[in-house]
Amino acid sequence: MAQTAAKVDERTCLVRAMYFESNRSSRDGLMAVGTVVMNRVASPHYPNTICGVVGQPGQFAYGVLINPLNPRELPPVERAADAILAGERYKPIGDAMWFHVASLRIPYRVEYMAVAGGNAFYRRTGRRYADIRVGPANPNSVAAPAPASANQAALAEAPQGSVIDRFFGQAHAAPSSAQNCEAARAGLGAISLACEDEASGR
């Protein structure tokens, strides 16, 4: 069945991209995916609509525009999508337009910007991609090979203090449930949806 964005509005396309591409464990992960979508919309190298970007073959999760959604999981995704549409962005990733599952190892060098919602967000390096960039480099980013499939391998290969190192370091030093929210904020700034809901009374 071919994917189609027919009769689907821009907000719905954004919600679907954020829903299927993030593990929905944190608002940061949702916002990071939404920021990638908007970075692509702003680039002359991609379609200039959200549905056009999200519906590009092979760019987002298969069936992103047609697979069923779980209504119980939608409220935090919709809140994050509305924030993106109102102009909010996940600043740690800057103008990154690519991401992959954090545990995946990719065969080329990239400039990692952040890890959020189970994904590693990055910019491609080299002259071939220079004209695709639309902003200055993130001073906190790391030019490094993609993280290995195992957490320990990622820790061993990533430079000290790198985004990948900090992410996996936090995963190995998980605090008790009473400290989870504060520890998450102290790591990469990821805020779980449970913490967000508790803080907002939802």
Side-chain angles (χ1 to χ4, degrees), residues 126-151:
R127 272 181 284 178
R128 178 180 174 189
Y129 299 102
D131 66 331
I132 294 180
R133 296 183 181 184
V134 293
N138 181 341
N140 298 319
S141 64
V142 181
S149 58
N151 290 359

Side-chain angles (χ1 to χ4, degrees), residues 30-145:
L30 294 167
M31 294 295 289
V33 171
T35 299
V36 164
V37 171
M38 299 311 289
N39 285 347
R40 289 191 175 197
V41 170
S43 168
H45 299 276
Y46 291 93
N48 63 0
T49 66
I50 294 171
C51 289
V53 164
V54 175
Q56 274 197 302
Q59 296 299 301
F60 289 86
Y62 179 76
V64 65
L65 294 178
I66 58 174
N67 284 342
L69 305 167
N70 182 340
R72 289 177 296 182
E73 296 179 323
L74 283 178
V77 183
E78 290 173 332
R79 289 195 299 271
D82 288 339
I84 289 289
L85 292 171
E88 189 176 337
R89 298 290 183 268
Y90 186 63
K91 293 181 181 177
I93 72 167
D95 64 350
M97 286 188 262
W98 297 277
F99 62 92
H100 60 72
V101 175
S103 60
L104 181 70
R105 186 178 187 84
I106 55 178
Y108 45 87
R109 293 184 64 81
V110 297
E111 181 183 12
Y112 282 105
M113 310 301 278
V115 175
N119 292 316
F121 295 82
Y122 64 93
R123 293 164 53 148
R124 291 184 177 174
T125 57
R127 272 181 284 178
R128 178 180 174 189
Y129 299 102
D131 66 331
I132 294 180
R133 296 183 181 184
V134 293
N138 181 341
N140 298 319
S141 64
V142 181

Side-chain angles (χ1 to χ4, degrees), residues 143-191:
S149 58
N151 290 359
Q152 289 296 338
L155 277 170
E157 293 186 8
Q160 254 333 67
S162 74
V163 169
I164 301 298
D165 187 24
R166 293 199 312 271
F167 173 72
F168 286 114
Q170 285 293 320
H172 287 299
S176 67
S177 59
Q179 300 169 321
N180 276 345
C181 295
E182 285 308 312
R185 291 177 206 277
L188 283 173
I191 302 169

Side-chain angles (χ1 to χ4, degrees), residues 72 75-76 79 185 191-202:
R72 289 177 296 182
R79 289 195 299 271
R185 291 177 206 277
I191 302 169
S192 76
L193 294 178
C195 297
E196 179 194 43
D197 289 349
E198 182 179 312
S200 61
R202 294 186 183 96

